[in-house]
Amino acid sequence: MLKQSPCPVHLHITSLTPGTATQVLLSTQGAENWKVERSPKPPWELFDKSKIVILSPDSENVIESFDMDKVYMIGGIVDRSVRKARTLGKAATHDIQTARFPIQEVLPERRTHILNIDHALKIICGHLHTNDWHKVLSECVPMRKVRPLLSSAVAA
């Protein structure tokens, strides 16, 4: 996706310990050839904690725009199931700020505001390119995650 995108991001995969199931899985997907930085260290050891923003669907802070001086952390690469507020707990433990995409505000018909990493990255790149939340979220949020709008007419 990033090969075709004019998106000005630099990706890091952190907390990637050699020999773990995650590292082995990524290897089977060809991760060694990806143009990303890899590190066994967690992000709070690689970057200034005051510049990290953990993206969490449970955050009360809504992103209005992206600050190019910040490091935005997409969590969940190893999550096999949704665990409510897990990223908030991790952020609190390390005193790191959190934020979420304005999905509930822009797409109130959305059933859930939890996205996979690919969709989150597309949203970030799309917003950096267009600065238009409605356009980006409408294009990037999978339709299977949107409730059909109920018609005001009832069939007899």
Side-chain angles (χ1 to χ4, degrees):
M1 175 186 75
L2 288 177
K3 288 180 183 178
Q4 299 89 12
S5 174
C7 184
V9 298
H10 187 84
L11 296 178
H12 292 258
I13 299 176
T14 62
S15 306
L16 188 61
T17 307
T20 61
T22 301
Q23 187 272 326
V24 170
L25 177 63
L26 288 174
S27 291
T28 65
Q29 302 299 311
E32 290 82 19
N33 299 319
W34 298 351
K35 295 190 185 305
V36 299
E37 301 291 329
R38 289 172 284 285
S39 175
K41 294 182 179 181
W44 42 88
E45 289 182 15
L46 294 173
F47 305 102
D48 179 349
K49 286 196 323 184
S50 68
K51 294 187 182 276
I52 299 173
V53 178
I54 295 178
L55 297 175
S56 171
D58 301 308
S59 179
E60 293 181 10
N61 307 314
V62 179
I63 295 175
E64 293 180 24
S65 63
F66 293 97
D67 180 343
M68 297 307 282
D69 291 329
K70 299 282 186 180
V71 174
Y72 293 91
M73 185 175 133
I74 302 171
I77 195 165
V78 297
D79 286 354
R80 292 177 188 254
S81 63
V82 175
R83 295 186 193 141
K84 184 109 174 105
R86 183 171 183 186
T87 51
L88 288 181
K90 183 75 76 174
T93 299
H94 296 284
D95 195 29
I96 297 173
Q97 60 186 315
T98 64
R100 66 174 172 82
F101 299 133
I103 296 171
Q104 294 97 313
E105 293 77 7
V106 175
L107 298 174
E109 68 276 13
R110 181 92 154 78
R111 280 194 318 241
T112 179
H113 53 281
I114 298 168
L115 300 170
N116 65 32
I117 293 168
D118 187 46
H119 289 115
L121 189 55
K122 285 179 183 178
I123 289 169
I124 292 168
C125 289
H127 191 267
L128 288 171
H129 184 68
T130 67
N131 201 33
D132 182 341
W133 282 118
H134 190 271
K135 176 178 174 30
V136 170
L137 294 175
S138 296
E139 290 175 358
C140 294
V141 171
M143 289 307 294
R144 70 183 183 280
K145 303 273 187 169
V146 178
R147 276 191 292 259
L149 295 176
L150 297 176
S151 171
S152 58
V154 178

